[in-house]
């Protein structure tokens, strides 16, 4: 694979910084561990830790050959995202991290049969609900020891330059993720909840040698001089005030990038068949379509030729990355403006790189890259022209259009919901089969299957039922609810007795827009909510299967949903249950209500770093450079490969989000390529290794830090 190289001057500078550039932060020999607090990140904000007391969290101090360490064991499954908070040393109000820009800690996974997740987080004092914090994390294989590295961008509230509307701002500019290193009030080590992410529902790790690294070099930009700072985005959509390997400086750099990629890309993995299945593996039944089966105790996809297939994919493979043009003075030279005040540096750069016919050429570029990079699935929201290349298997969203959410929002159900009792709901789904994209895919052997809708916000366990009860009488779902109550209670007096209500007749419930007593009515609300969810997923399944009986149905891509009824319905109606999950390990992934023998597709995940002029690594930063990111990606995939239910992992997404944010301000550096179409080569190299070894690693069934080449 392509290995980018630093210039000699840059290498000398890097070595100079590395020598003598670390400073101890926590003296564990003298640190009073009785002051350490057990914390949990939970609702409603999930970002502000609360102190908890648990006898199932054990913290000890030990000395080993490397020095003093904290030995931590957590087995409290009632906690959402547990961890430990190290307050500043005695007599100090804050931790002082100034003078440096990296924090390191040596972490060891003491478990020998499961991966572990750990993240380090630093925060500034909370002001109202405005919190400035940042973090970095990873997963470790059983028994693995590695340094957790964390880059913390810095700023203070007095910086003269201001940037609004973005989820994260450039270093030195005040924003949610740029900390004041002089006022760090909490140093936290935490992990994701044990119920959903730990095989053993416990974790045991050691933390040592907590130190600062890499002397601070300043923000790298004149953040107190607006005349010099703006514009901060160049004509290619890149950050003006930083440089990095492979940055595009002139249009001629694009042709050199093409030649570099042509020279260093490899042929597709030798063990693959044309679909990316394992040609050298067992021959199973060939049906001409993808299906799921269990083989040697683990679920697998099987490709149309009957070969074992693990879906290693990327979402949103498109030519676009539209950005909202917020202020014209931000841009060195504005890109071509699209309708609605949008910019698209990505498309403009593709035109510069591949010429005016780039839309015709790019599908072939993508297919070549997927084969060379060990990827065998194009994920959701990808361009139809790229799917039509028919060289890479794909998944796509079946879609629901021309039918609005007729059940309006209520507290707990912020976006409302569709009415599955309304005949127009099923009719709208049926019409999707006539759309050009679905019609082309429904009989296409390259199409693995369909999702339907994404990350529905279902709220709590009775939210949909409450929303129905306060809806108008003519809502079909409300009539269904009343009919359920009639069947159960027979007489209105019996319902009134149970609910402590005073409805004169059943029609009064239809006419009412008020909620009954929450506690007295809870059982019935839960029963209807469960029936609502079940009907919703049944109708969606029926629509997909009626249109495309030979394609798999993946459901609606659950995200942070915790309702067991959702997973019960999905398990009942989906061939494979799709879940979007943002974490550093899925080794112990489970959900209440989801049977432990149902295949799962992780339909979104990612890890990110900030080393190429980007500002935002989202909520799952994974170190300080692309090598750290590659390690994090490798551990994620290794955990998935050894999970008996997981049949695939789809990274979100293909291209970095725009530097100045899409419409909602998201500007995450989460791409396989950046907005100049330049690959993150260290990350790509990790993907390639996954593609080469994924089936043999899965069948071997044992964690190893390095990849195996045979079973």
């Amino acid at each position: 694979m392509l290995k980018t190289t630093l210039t000699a001057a840059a290498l000398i500078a890097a070595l100079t910084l590395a020598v003598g550039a670390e400073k101890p932060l926590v003296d564990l020999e003298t640190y009073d561990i009785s002051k350490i607090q057990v914390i949990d990140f939970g609702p409603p904000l999930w970002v502000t830790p609360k102190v908890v007391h648990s006898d199932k969290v054990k913290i000890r101090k030990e000395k080993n050959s490397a020095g003093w360490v904290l030995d931590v064991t957590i087995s409290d499954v009632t906690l959402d995202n547990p961890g430990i908070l190290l307050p500043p040393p005695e007599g100090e109000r804050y931790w002082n991290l100034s003078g440096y820009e990296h924090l390191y800690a040596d972490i060891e996974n003491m478990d020998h049969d499961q991966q572990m997740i750990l993240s380090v987080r630093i925060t500034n004092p909370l002001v109202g609900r405005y919190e400035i914090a940042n973090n970095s994390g990873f997963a470790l294989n059983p028994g693995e020891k590695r340094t957790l590295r964390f880059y913390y961008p810095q700023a203070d509230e007095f910086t003269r330059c201001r940037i609004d509307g973005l989820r994260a701002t450039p270093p030195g500019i005040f924003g949610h993720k740029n900390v004041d290193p002089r006022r760090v009030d909490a140093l936290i080590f935490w992990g994701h909840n044990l119920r959903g992410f730990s095989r053993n529902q416990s974790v045991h790790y050691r933390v040592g040698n907590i130190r600062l690294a890499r002397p601070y070099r300043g923000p790298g930009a004149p953040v107190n001089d607006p005349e010099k700072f703006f514009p901060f985005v160049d004509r290619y959509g890149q950050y003006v005030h930083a440089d990095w390997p492979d940055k595009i400086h002139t249009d001629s750099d694009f042709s050199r990038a093409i030649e570099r990629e042509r020279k260093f890309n490899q042929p597709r993995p030798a063990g693959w068949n044309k679909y990316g299945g394992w040609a050298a593996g067992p021959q199973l039944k060939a049906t001409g379509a993808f299906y799921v089966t269990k083989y040697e105790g683990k679920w697998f996809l099987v490709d149309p030729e009957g070969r074992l297939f693990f879906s290693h994919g990327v979402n949103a493979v498109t030519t676009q990355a539209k950005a909202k043009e917020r202020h014209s003075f931000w841009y060195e030279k504005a890109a071509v403006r699209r309708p609605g005040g949008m910019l698209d540096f990505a498309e403009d750069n593709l035109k510069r790189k591949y010429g005016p016919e780039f839309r015709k050429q790019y599908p072939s570029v993508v297919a070549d890259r997927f084969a060379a990079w060990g990827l065998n699935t194009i994920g959701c929201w990808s361009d139809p022209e790229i799917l039509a290349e028919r060289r890479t298997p794909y998944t796509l969203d079946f879609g629901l259009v021309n039918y609005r959410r007729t059940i309006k929002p209520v507290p707990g159900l912020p976006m409302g919901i569709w009415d599955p009792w309304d005949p127009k709901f099923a009719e709208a789904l049926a019409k999707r089969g006539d759309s050009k994209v679905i019609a082309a895919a429904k009989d296409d052997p390259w199409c693995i299957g369909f999702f339907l809708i994404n990350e529905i916000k279902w709220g709590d366990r009775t939210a949909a039922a409450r929303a129905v009860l306060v809806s108008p009488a003519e809502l079909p779902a409300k009539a269904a609810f009343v009919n359920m109550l009639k069947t159960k209670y027979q007489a209105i007096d019996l319902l009134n007795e149970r609910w402590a209500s005073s409805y004169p007749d059943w029609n009064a419930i239809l006419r009412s827009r008020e909620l009954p007593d929450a506690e007295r009515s809870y059982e019935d609300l839960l029963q209807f909510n469960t029936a609502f969810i079940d009907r919703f997923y049944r109708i969606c399944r029926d629509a997909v299967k009626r249109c495309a009986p030979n394609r798999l149905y993946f459901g609606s891509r659950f995200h942070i949903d915790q309702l067991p009824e959702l997973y019960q319905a999905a398990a009942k109606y989906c061939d494979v249950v799709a879940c979007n999950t943002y974490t550093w390990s899925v080794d112990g992934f489970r959900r209440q209500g989801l049977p432990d023998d149902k295949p799962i597709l992780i339909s979104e995940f990612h890890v990110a770093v900030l080393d190429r002029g980007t500002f935002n690594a989202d909520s799952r930063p994974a170190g300080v450079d692309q090598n750290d990111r590659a390690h994090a990606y490798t551990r994620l995939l290794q955990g998935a490969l050894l999970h008996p239910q997981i049949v695939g992992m789809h990274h979100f997404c293909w291209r970095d989000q725009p530097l100045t944010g899409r419409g909602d301000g998201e500007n995450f550096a989460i791409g396989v390529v950046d907005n100049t179409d330049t690959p993150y080569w260290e990350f790509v190299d990790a993907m390639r290794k996954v593609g080469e070894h994924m089936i043999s690693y899965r069948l071997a069934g044992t964690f190893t830090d390095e990849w195996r080449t045979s079973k």
Side-chain angles (χ1 to χ4, degrees):
M1 299 301 295
L2 177 61
K3 303 294 184 182
T4 55
T5 55
L6 293 170
T7 64
L11 182 59
I12 292 170
L15 290 172
T16 301
L17 277 171
V19 176
E22 295 185 356
K23 172 186 175 183
L25 177 64
V26 184
D27 182 356
L28 289 177
E29 181 177 4
T30 61
Y31 190 82
D32 183 359
I33 66 169
S34 68
K35 304 296 184 183
I36 295 177
Q37 299 171 333
V38 178
I39 58 92
D40 189 25
F41 291 94
L45 299 180
W46 299 97
V47 295
T48 304
K50 58 183 178 182
V51 177
V52 296
H53 300 280
S54 174
D55 59 3
K56 294 183 178 181
V57 179
K58 307 294 185 184
I59 306 168
R60 297 182 297 119
K61 188 163 63 171
E62 294 184 359
K63 187 176 183 181
N64 59 25
S65 59
W68 289 92
V69 297
L70 297 176
D71 186 277
V72 182
T73 303
I74 303 175
S75 58
D76 192 336
V77 297
T78 67
L79 302 178
D80 288 300
N81 296 283
I84 59 172
L85 184 154
L86 279 62
E90 191 73 31
E92 301 291 338
R93 187 174 181 183
Y94 301 115
W95 292 103
N96 185 355
L97 277 60
S98 63
Y100 293 82
E101 54 189 48
H102 291 177
L103 188 154
Y104 294 169
D106 294 339
I107 312 298
E108 184 174 5
N109 181 5
M110 302 303 294
D111 287 319
H112 295 282
D113 59 351
Q114 67 171 357
Q115 287 186 338
M116 62 155 286
I117 296 169
L118 197 67
S119 173
V120 60
R121 178 182 177 90
I122 60 175
T123 65
N124 287 150
L126 188 67
V127 179
R129 292 183 62 171
Y130 192 92
E131 181 169 54
I132 298 176
N134 215 321
N135 68 296
S136 178
F138 61 13
L140 295 180
N141 278 343
E144 184 179 6
K145 183 176 181 180
R146 185 179 174 91
T147 298
L148 174 56
R149 306 201 303 165
F150 172 28
Y151 162 58
Y152 49 96
Q154 303 175 28
D156 63 50
E157 63 267 35
F158 303 109
T159 304
R160 288 184 61 202
C161 293
R162 286 287 190 265
I163 292 176
D164 61 325
L166 303 186
R167 300 287 182 92
T169 51
I173 305 291
F174 184 68
H176 281 283
K177 297 194 174 187
N178 294 348
V179 300
D180 181 345
R182 302 162 300 177
R183 299 190 305 124
V184 173
D185 63 349
L187 174 61
I188 300 169
F189 292 92
W190 66 282
H192 283 154
N193 79 76
L194 303 176
R195 297 186 308 277
F197 292 97
S198 169
R199 283 194 189 194
N200 301 336
Q201 301 197 48
S202 65
V203 65
H204 181 195
Y205 59 86
R206 286 177 175 168
V207 180
N209 195 15
I210 306 170
R211 59 202 187 273
L212 302 177
R214 190 162 185 167
Y216 184 55
R217 299 164 298 168
V223 295
N224 283 305
D225 189 341
E227 292 294 323
K228 294 180 179 178
F229 181 81
F230 296 103
F232 69 94
V233 182
D234 70 16
R235 65 191 297 259
Y236 304 109
Q238 304 168 120
Y239 188 42
V240 167
H241 301 295
D243 202 2
W244 56 90
D246 295 330
K247 184 178 183 180
I248 299 296
H249 296 92
T250 67
D251 287 4
S252 61
D253 289 338
F254 286 113
S255 59
R256 285 191 285 271
I258 291 173
E259 177 59 24
R260 192 177 303 133
E261 184 171 338
R262 184 199 63 77
K263 182 177 179 181
F264 287 96
N265 270 351
Q266 299 181 44
R268 64 192 291 110
W272 283 14
N273 67 3
K274 70 177 185 179
Y275 292 104
W278 192 30
Q283 177 65 62
L284 305 183
K285 183 179 179 180
T287 66
F290 282 89
Y291 65 95
V292 285
T293 194
K294 210 168 189 182
Y295 182 81
E296 294 192 359
K298 297 182 178 72
W299 283 100
F300 281 90
L301 290 165
V302 180
D303 73 23
E305 295 181 342
R307 298 298 186 175
L308 295 177
F309 183 96
F310 186 88
S311 184
H312 183 212
V314 179
N315 288 293
V317 185
T318 75
T319 61
Q320 299 180 342
K322 290 184 178 179
K324 182 178 180 181
E325 183 180 12
R326 300 174 189 280
H327 303 286
S328 60
F329 65 88
W330 285 11
Y331 307 97
E332 194 173 80
K333 182 178 181 181
V336 177
R337 184 179 287 106
R338 270 66 173 181
M342 305 297 286
L343 302 173
D344 198 333
F345 290 104
E347 276 210 341
D348 294 342
N349 288 329
L350 289 176
K351 186 175 181 179
R352 295 178 180 114
K353 186 172 184 177
Y354 300 108
E357 298 295 312
F358 71 90
R359 287 188 179 87
K360 294 181 180 179
Q361 185 178 349
Y362 201 61
S364 178
V365 171
V366 168
D368 290 344
R369 284 174 164 181
F370 268 59
W373 299 354
L375 298 163
N376 64 7
T377 307
I378 299 170
C380 205
W381 307 301
S382 298
D383 287 346
E385 297 81 4
I386 291 173
L387 307 183
E389 187 75 7
R390 302 297 190 270
R391 290 170 54 195
T392 310
Y394 61 90
T395 60
L396 71 165
D397 182 12
F398 193 81
L400 174 60
V401 296
N402 299 322
Y403 182 77
R404 59 189 176 86
R405 300 175 191 238
T406 53
I407 301 173
K408 302 303 180 185
V410 296
L413 191 71
M415 300 181 69
I417 199 69
W418 302 271
D419 184 350
W421 278 271
D422 185 350
K424 294 179 180 178
F425 176 65
E427 291 169 7
L429 287 171
K431 290 178 181 178
R432 282 295 296 160
D434 299 328
S435 70
K436 183 178 180 181
V437 172
I438 303 303
K442 64 183 181 181
D443 296 316
D444 183 4
W446 293 92
C447 177
I448 302 173
F450 295 99
F451 309 99
L452 210 167
I453 316 177
N454 180 61
E455 296 184 357
I456 301 170
K457 305 295 189 295
W458 284 100
D460 58 58
R461 298 182 74 184
T462 64
R466 296 197 310 273
V468 168
L469 275 184
V470 299
S471 294
E474 59 270 19
L475 185 81
K478 194 166 189 179
F481 197 170
V482 173
N483 286 336
M484 185 200 83
L485 296 172
K486 281 182 181 180
T487 301
K488 180 175 182 177
Y489 289 99
Q490 300 294 310
I492 193 70
D493 291 344
L494 295 177
L495 173 71
N496 284 332
E497 181 181 350
R498 180 69 184 89
W499 284 15
S501 54
S502 56
Y503 300 114
D505 52 41
W506 296 108
N507 285 335
I509 303 177
L510 281 173
R511 295 190 299 269
S512 174
R513 307 292 293 272
E514 302 295 325
L515 287 173
D517 178 270
E519 184 176 348
R520 301 291 292 267
S521 65
Y522 180 81
E523 180 183 324
D524 294 321
L525 291 173
L526 178 59
Q527 181 181 347
F528 182 73
N529 213 83
T530 302
F532 188 108
I533 290 169
D534 186 272
R535 183 180 179 89
F536 180 90
Y537 283 99
R538 175 174 62 80
I539 290 176
C540 289
R541 186 278 314 271
D542 289 350
V544 171
K545 289 297 186 179
R546 192 175 296 115
C547 169
N550 296 319
R551 307 279 81 80
L552 297 174
Y553 172 52
F554 298 108
S556 63
R557 305 166 67 96
F558 297 131
H559 183 24
I560 58 174
D561 307 277
Q562 300 296 328
L563 310 188
E565 298 80 22
L566 286 176
Y567 294 97
Q568 290 163 1
K572 186 176 178 181
Y573 297 115
C574 297
D575 298 303
V576 179
V577 178
C579 298
N580 300 344
T581 184
Y582 289 92
T583 181
W584 293 279
S585 170
V586 292
D587 166 39
F589 184 85
R590 64 170 68 85
R591 289 294 180 266
Q592 185 182 0
L594 183 62
D596 60 7
D597 198 30
K598 184 73 180 182
I600 299 167
L601 173 69
I602 302 300
S603 41
E604 284 185 28
F605 76 98
H606 62 228
V607 286
V609 293
L610 303 177
D611 67 341
R612 308 287 165 89
T614 51
F615 313 147
N616 195 344
D618 194 14
S619 57
R620 300 295 169 259
V624 304
D625 60 27
Q626 294 295 324
N627 290 311
D628 291 332
R629 187 186 184 204
H631 171 269
Y633 185 86
T634 299
R635 294 295 177 263
L636 264 162
L637 267 293
Q638 288 176 336
L641 289 167
L642 295 197
H643 193 300
Q645 295 173 257
I646 294 177
V647 299
M649 295 276 284
H650 293 179
H651 177 268
F652 185 84
C653 53
W654 177 246
R655 193 181 308 281
D656 283 346
Q657 292 176 333
L659 199 65
T660 55
R662 62 186 194 183
D664 62 359
E666 277 194 11
N667 57 345
F668 302 153
I670 51 177
V672 183
V673 301
D674 68 15
N675 274 293
T676 68
D677 196 54
T678 301
Y680 291 105
W681 286 109
E682 301 91 336
F683 192 58
V684 164
D685 190 52
M687 288 180 155
R688 169 73 187 204
K689 289 185 173 69
V690 171
E692 290 176 337
H693 304 295
M694 55 192 176
I695 300 293
S696 59
Y697 195 90
R698 183 166 179 79
L699 289 175
T702 304
F703 280 110
T704 58
D705 293 348
E706 301 302 322
W707 293 106
R708 292 184 177 87
T709 56
S710 61
K711 181 179 174 182

